[in-house]
């Protein structure tokens, strides 16, 4: 009952709902199964994904790119 429809000043009973122990246990078990499925899926993705091996140091470094801007005059030597 919303507060707008409750004009009495009588206190609420407090705990007004009853919970079934079996349904709570069933929901908890289902939650554990879902967490287990997510953990297995994460583990499988971790096993299946292969990252590239590190690049060896024998590769030559990249040369810097020469840039020319509009208005620059070439230097003649």
């Amino acid at each position: 009952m919303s507060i707008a429809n409750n004009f009495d000043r009588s206190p609420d009973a407090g705990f007004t709902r009853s919970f079934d122990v079996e349904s709570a246990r069933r929901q908890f078990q289902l939650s554990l199964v879902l967490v287990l499925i997510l953990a297995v899926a994460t583990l499988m993705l971790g096993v299946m994904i292969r990252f590239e091996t590190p690049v060896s140091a024998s590769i030559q470094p990249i040369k810097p790119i020469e840039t020319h801007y509009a208005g620059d005059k070439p230097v003649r030597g």
Side-chain angles (χ1 to χ4, degrees):
M1 183 182 243
S2 71
I3 242 175
N5 296 334
N6 189 5
F7 296 111
D8 309 357
R9 294 284 179 183
S10 63
D12 254 353
F15 187 72
T16 57
R17 299 179 187 207
S18 63
F19 294 98
D20 183 25
V21 174
E22 289 300 318
S23 66
R25 182 176 292 124
R26 195 170 44 247
Q27 183 176 358
F28 178 69
Q29 290 173 348
L30 181 65
S31 298
L32 286 179
V33 169
L34 290 175
V35 167
L36 182 65
I37 289 172
L38 284 174
V40 169
T42 304
L43 180 68
M44 293 305 293
L45 279 175
V47 168
M48 290 171 37
I49 294 177
R50 297 288 176 199
F51 295 104
E52 295 179 2
T53 58
V55 179
S56 65
S58 64
I59 296 176
Q60 299 294 327
I62 299 174
K63 295 179 183 177
I65 299 173
E66 295 181 23
T67 55
H68 298 285
Y69 298 102
D72 280 354
K73 296 180 183 176
V75 178
R76 296 183 185 184

